[in-house]
Amino acid sequence: MTTPESALEGKSFAKTYFPPARLAVSGLFLLNGTFAGAWATKIPEFATRLGLSESGLGLMIMFFGIGSLVLMPIAGFLIAHFGTTRTVKGATILFLSTMLLLSIAPNIPVGAVAIFFFGGLMGAMDVAMNGNAVEVEKSMRRAIMSSCHAFWSLGAFIGAATGGFLIEALGVMGHAGLLTVIGAVALLVIWPFVLHDAPHPSDERQKVRLPTTLLPWLIGLMALFSMVPEGAILDWGALYMRDELGATLTLSGFAFGAFSLTMAVMRFAGDHVRDRFGAVKTLRFCTIMAMIGMVVAGTAPNAYVAMAGFAICGVGISNMVPIAFSAAGNLPGFAQGVALSVATVMGYSGSLFAPSVIGFIAEHTGFAIIFAMMPVLFIVVLLLAHQAVHADVRDHR
């Protein structure tokens, strides 16, 4: 039987651990991830509609990356001048229209424009919502970044797991239209609860220039090499499963789906793990797991073993990027918007730009060897893992 005391304790727990601002920024991550997952299943249809080879699709994905590299720094400077709240709301409104634009693109030039804005606005929204998550972390005085990224991964799993089925059932435009409507409704619900923040006057001079010291760039390099494999799975996992392992369209979508599911589960636990063991130990463990998973996926004899490898890789990569972003957002002596934009631009250039290069290489080598060689990048992350200590700064305030 519920007593008044227990009800009061329940409300106190919810207010302490799940205030509206945390739920709102988590919803933004969920929304962004759902569109990313939907894109993963849309790639084979997009390539077929525009008559793209693997190298042609790789070139098209380069526009995805260029869009991100152009708009993400702009988002960082907008955060510095106007705060994360206004920036994330504006970026999200624009981003919601991009799935429709991708779906109606009739030729390569229009497709290039569509994918430029899709990648760019996804990245701009990502910078802003990560910045807002850092602000919520500071207001709560506890880690939430991993759970925010867990909602992104959960959204990516939902988008990837349902995308193939919805495209077959509703058609390309039906799938895009449904996704856009759901996204608009979700944003209306989230809108009033996004944490309001404003720039600090003392940071003003820092906000108008990029960092000239090495540390933010090292953390950005760590994010970069954590996210190249994530981007490879997002953009090429479905084609690898379909073309090299004989998977069906629906099954091939689960390459990124399996990766996103385990990533989501581990990210929900990640904040508690990081608070218990520290960011450095957590990052090192995750990196080793990611190495194992990528080798399994790249050497898999069939689609199901590859799915298992991608799932293991999801366990590993789960908390690598959130730790890097928390470290960047908490660097002492740096304006948050600019320091975080350095890490996000470098990181997302790995997930959005590097896969285009992978497409050119895979046309000659296949994807299996590329996935098997990805752990080389994780060695660099291990060497830089000690820099993750800055993600724990919040605990000493």
Side-chain angles (χ1 to χ4, degrees):
M1 181 177 177
T2 302
T3 64
E5 291 79 7
S6 63
L8 185 60
E9 289 176 0
K11 290 181 181 179
S12 178
F13 177 86
K15 184 177 180 180
T16 301
Y17 291 96
F18 300 101
R22 179 178 184 176
L23 296 177
V25 74
S26 297
L28 292 172
F29 275 84
L30 180 72
L31 183 59
N32 190 279
T34 301
F35 273 66
W39 162 245
T41 60
K42 194 179 190 64
I43 289 172
E45 179 277 327
F46 181 80
T48 301
R49 174 162 31 105
L50 300 185
L52 299 171
S53 64
E54 288 176 349
S55 60
L57 181 57
L59 183 62
M60 189 66 72
I61 291 173
M62 188 177 296
F63 282 92
F64 198 125
I66 292 171
S68 296
L69 293 179
V70 170
L71 296 187
M72 289 173 75
I74 294 175
F77 287 113
L78 289 175
I79 290 170
H81 286 286
F82 302 109
T84 64
T85 309
R86 293 168 66 183
T87 305
V88 76
K89 287 180 176 179
T92 304
I93 291 172
L94 295 174
F95 176 60
L96 290 178
S97 66
T98 55
M99 188 61 68
L100 287 171
L101 187 59
L102 282 170
S103 300
I104 64 174
N107 53 49
I108 291 176
V110 177
V113 172
I115 204 169
F116 174 89
F117 283 107
F118 181 68
L121 290 168
M122 176 184 285
M125 180 182 172
D126 207 298
V127 172
M129 67 189 188
N130 273 287
N132 194 259
V134 170
E135 292 294 331
V136 175
E137 280 191 324
K138 291 176 180 178
S139 70
M140 294 180 63
R141 306 184 70 86
R142 67 178 67 250
I144 71 157
M145 187 66 80
S146 288
S147 66
C148 284
H149 283 253
F151 278 101
W152 188 95
S153 298
L154 180 61
F157 170 73
I158 293 170
T162 62
F165 170 77
L166 289 175
I167 289 172
E168 290 182 347
L170 303 177
V172 174
M173 287 304 300
H175 168 247
L178 178 62
L179 196 66
T180 303
V181 170
I182 292 174
V185 172
L187 181 60
L188 286 175
V189 173
I190 292 168
W191 187 279
F193 304 105
V194 178
L195 179 70
H196 178 73
D197 70 318
H200 301 287
S202 61
D203 290 337
E204 197 62 39
R205 286 196 295 176
Q206 291 177 310
K207 291 173 182 174
V208 296
R209 65 178 188 270
L210 291 174
T212 56
T213 56
L214 188 60
L215 185 55
W217 303 99
L218 288 177
I219 293 176
L221 186 64
M222 185 166 63
L224 168 65
F225 287 159
S226 297
M227 295 189 72
V228 167
E230 182 176 350
I233 298 170
L234 169 64
D235 290 322
W236 299 115
L239 282 176
Y240 169 55
M241 295 266 284
R242 188 189 71 178
D243 295 348
E244 297 184 24
L245 299 177
T248 64
L249 173 64
T250 301
L251 182 61
S252 64
F254 280 92
F256 190 63
F259 173 80
S260 298
L261 178 61
T262 56
M263 181 182 281
V265 172
M266 294 307 297
R267 281 178 168 174
F268 279 120
D271 295 321
H272 300 290
V273 171
R274 190 184 0 154
D275 285 340
R276 173 66 178 83
F277 297 102
V280 175
K281 289 182 179 178
T282 303
L283 179 61
R284 286 171 176 161
F285 170 80
C286 288
T287 305
I288 292 171
M289 290 296 294
M291 294 171 73
I292 294 171
M294 208 49 107
V295 170
V296 171
T299 59
N302 57 60
Y304 295 99
V305 175
M307 285 172 57
F310 289 136
I312 295 170
C313 193
V315 171
I317 293 180
S318 60
N319 292 298
M320 294 168 66
V321 177
I323 288 173
F325 286 171
S326 278
N330 285 292
L331 281 181
F334 293 92
Q336 182 217 88
V338 175
L340 185 58
S341 70
V342 168
T344 50
V345 167
M346 291 185 68
Y348 282 95
S349 68
S351 66
L352 301 175
F353 187 78
S356 64
V357 179
I358 292 173
F360 288 107
I361 298 172
E363 190 162 348
H364 303 285
T365 66
F367 291 109
I369 189 171
I370 292 175
F371 285 126
M373 292 298 294
M374 285 289 174
V376 173
L377 301 179
F378 293 137
I379 295 175
V380 178
V381 178
L382 283 175
L383 294 175
L384 294 174
H386 62 283
Q387 300 292 352
V389 68
H390 297 284
D392 295 327
V393 167
R394 175 188 53 260
D395 299 330
H396 303 294
R397 290 177 181 173

